[in-house]
Amino acid sequence: MANATVLPLPRHPVGGLLAQPLEGLGRMFYMVEPELTTYKTPEEVPFFFRQAWPYFLAFIVLENLVLWLEHKPLSRLNDSLTSISHGIFQECGRLVFRGAEHWMYIYIYENFRLAELPWDSAITWYLALVGVDFCYYWVHRASHEVHILWAQHQVHHSSEDYNLAVGLRQSLLQGWCGFVFYLPMALIVPPAHFLTHQQFNLLYQFWIHTETVQTLGPLEWVFNTPKHHRVHHGSNLYCLDKNYGGFLIIWDRLFGTFAEERPKEETVYGLVFNQPSFNPFYLQIFYNKNVINKVRAMNGWKNKVSAVVKGPSWLPGRPWTGAEEDKIDVSRKARTCTLGTRPYYSFFVRVLGTLTSTATPPWGRSETPWTRGGTNNVGFQNGQDGN
């Protein structure tokens, strides 16, 4: 690392009324400059995720405008409100947890790190980018192949639609289920770099939840794209347990979990056994009862433990993720009935109003919540029905 290039680090964004909003827009696509997004300490890392809420909402409006221009069905109001409500739940959870799950990463780095990488090096910045994405692949894969983790992650797959609002449909407990997978990075990667790239990685995953972008050509050999992620959200047999990547799709290609989209086969979104509900409270917790029921149905303590730690489709004597012949072949199905949204609308408007009124503008003063009552950044951990 002695020959690493040391970058000048301006502490403020590029000046200009236009440049600052464009920087926030660039963060949604991981289009950022290392020298402008490198920080020495966790306290300096801005809360990029909270600053992105105006972009989330603007992109959702833009997506529906494109659908309208293409004479395609718009996003269902009840389903979109449910998805955004899940995102609000996650934000509220961050206020409660106050970044506690990142405390262990910082502790390991400060006491057990194996190397001291220069914080102001471009090499350290790119190493963190690759490291965060590699670890995300495994936490995402585990969230499909470990039943108790899937019980939390299934929230993200509970929508029968596939649109940008679904990118905000997240589990309140997902961060606590997955943070341990990032801890090996603490032996090498400085906490500030980890916190920065974890946010960028998850922000990137928001825009790939759409059917309005068909293909990005050669870029899809390396990057995760809407085309690849549509497969991940499908409950068709060929879609199950595929395309776990966050920013990069190369991990799926390397570890045998990649699948190409089949344009001639309709992709059926949602869970294999979907819940006819738009109640976000219910959708957050209902699947845990399935885990408990499966444990109770098993004979012997080994099978009971396996019912918790092995895949959702596992049965005694079968492979970890279940046998293909035991999985249900999902064909086209009717979507959940359009239930009324009035019971949740008032709640949604009130909480969203609170969030947007207290959030820092995307080009305004940055928040640094990591060590002084802030929150974590576990955002768009996208999963697939381990079905």
Side-chain angles (χ1 to χ4, degrees):
M1 300 300 297
N3 296 325
T5 301
V6 178
L7 302 170
L9 298 173
R11 295 294 92 194
H12 302 284
V14 176
L17 294 177
L18 182 61
Q20 293 172 358
L22 288 178
E23 286 181 359
L25 180 63
R27 289 195 289 266
M28 301 297 295
F29 300 92
Y30 225 132
M31 297 173 65
V32 294
E33 298 182 49
E35 63 268 23
L36 296 179
T37 53
T38 301
Y39 306 93
K40 185 176 182 179
T41 66
E43 292 85 351
E44 297 178 31
V45 180
F47 198 178
F48 295 122
F49 191 84
R50 180 173 297 172
Q51 295 172 10
W53 270 90
Y55 295 102
F56 294 153
L57 301 178
F59 273 112
I60 290 172
V61 172
L62 179 61
E63 178 186 42
N64 279 277
L65 176 60
V66 172
L67 291 172
W68 178 74
L69 292 173
E70 294 179 343
H71 304 287
K72 295 180 179 179
L74 305 184
S75 300
R76 293 184 294 168
L77 178 61
N78 47 14
D79 190 80
S80 294
L81 289 181
T82 301
S83 294
I84 297 173
S85 295
H86 284 296
I88 293 173
F89 285 175
Q90 189 183 52
E91 287 293 330
C92 293
R94 288 174 174 147
L95 296 176
V96 176
F97 300 149
R98 302 172 75 87
E101 58 266 52
H102 287 134
W103 171 84
M104 181 60 71
Y105 188 102
I106 296 172
Y107 177 83
I108 292 175
Y109 180 81
E110 290 180 346
N111 293 277
F112 301 105
R113 64 179 178 268
L114 302 178
E116 182 118 19
L117 301 182
W119 70 272
D120 52 357
S121 168
I123 294 178
T124 304
W125 193 92
Y126 283 107
L127 179 64
L129 181 155
V130 174
V132 165
D133 199 65
F134 177 76
C135 291
Y136 176 81
Y137 169 86
W138 289 106
V139 67
H140 194 183
R141 184 168 177 173
S143 295
H144 285 260
E145 298 183 0
V146 176
H147 201 191
I148 191 60
L149 298 185
W150 169 247
Q152 319 316 318
H153 184 59
Q154 58 77 29
V155 175
H156 183 64
H157 287 264
S158 60
S159 174
E160 295 167 290
D161 298 334
Y162 189 74
N163 51 48
L164 292 176
V166 173
L168 299 174
R169 184 181 285 234
Q170 301 299 325
S171 167
L172 180 63
L173 299 176
Q174 185 72 52
W176 287 97
C177 298
F179 81 97
V180 295
F181 288 83
Y182 294 98
L183 295 182
M185 286 183 59
L187 298 173
I188 299 176
V189 177
H193 286 267
F194 163 66
L195 294 172
T196 298
H197 285 282
Q198 189 184 38
Q199 293 186 84
F200 291 158
N201 189 284
L202 299 174
L203 287 176
Y204 176 88
Q205 294 176 48
F206 170 76
W207 76 272
I208 62 177
H209 291 84
T210 185
E211 293 185 289
T212 60
V213 178
Q214 295 305 309
T215 180
L216 294 179
L219 293 177
E220 294 183 338
W221 282 97
V222 178
F223 300 106
N224 195 12
T225 65
K227 178 182 176 182
H228 296 327
H229 206 58
R230 285 193 291 269
V231 173
H232 177 73
H233 271 259
S235 52
N236 311 54
L237 278 178
Y238 88 91
C239 298
L240 300 185
D241 303 323
K242 300 296 183 182
N243 298 3
Y244 295 118
F247 175 53
L248 303 173
I249 201 66
I250 57 174
W251 314 120
D252 289 285
R253 297 185 185 277
L254 287 173
F255 298 115
T257 54
F258 177 75
E260 283 282 4
E261 186 177 44
R262 299 178 182 178
K264 295 183 180 180
E265 181 175 339
E266 179 188 5
T267 302
V268 180
Y269 301 113
L271 307 176
V272 168
F273 297 105
N274 237 47
Q275 297 299 303
S277 175
F278 293 106
N279 185 334
F281 296 100
Y282 173 76
L283 292 173
Q284 283 281 333
I285 63 175
F286 85 91
Y287 197 95
N288 291 282
K289 186 176 180 180
N290 293 350
V291 178
I292 295 172
N293 290 339
K294 189 170 185 178
V295 171
R296 288 175 175 172
M298 293 294 141
N299 295 319
W301 68 269
K302 288 186 178 180
N303 285 336
K304 290 182 180 293
V305 171
S306 295
V308 175
V309 301
K310 292 187 178 181
S313 299
W314 172 84
L315 292 172
R318 298 298 197 181
W320 185 286
T321 57
E324 292 300 311
E325 57 267 27
D326 294 333
K327 297 178 181 180
I328 298 174
D329 187 6
V330 177
S331 59
R332 181 170 182 171
K333 56 185 179 183
R335 294 188 299 182
T336 301
C337 61
T338 305
L339 302 178
T341 58
R342 187 166 295 179
Y344 315 114
Y345 184 71
S346 178
F347 164 81
F348 168 81
V349 171
R350 288 175 181 270
V351 178
L352 183 60
T354 301
L355 275 176
T356 54
S357 64
T358 57
T360 303
W363 49 86
R365 181 178 177 181
S366 299
E367 295 183 59
T368 55
W370 309 112
T371 59
R372 52 176 181 82
T375 68
N376 73 50
N377 274 320
V378 178
F380 304 107
Q381 293 191 3
N382 311 301
Q384 203 275 331
D385 189 1
N387 302 317

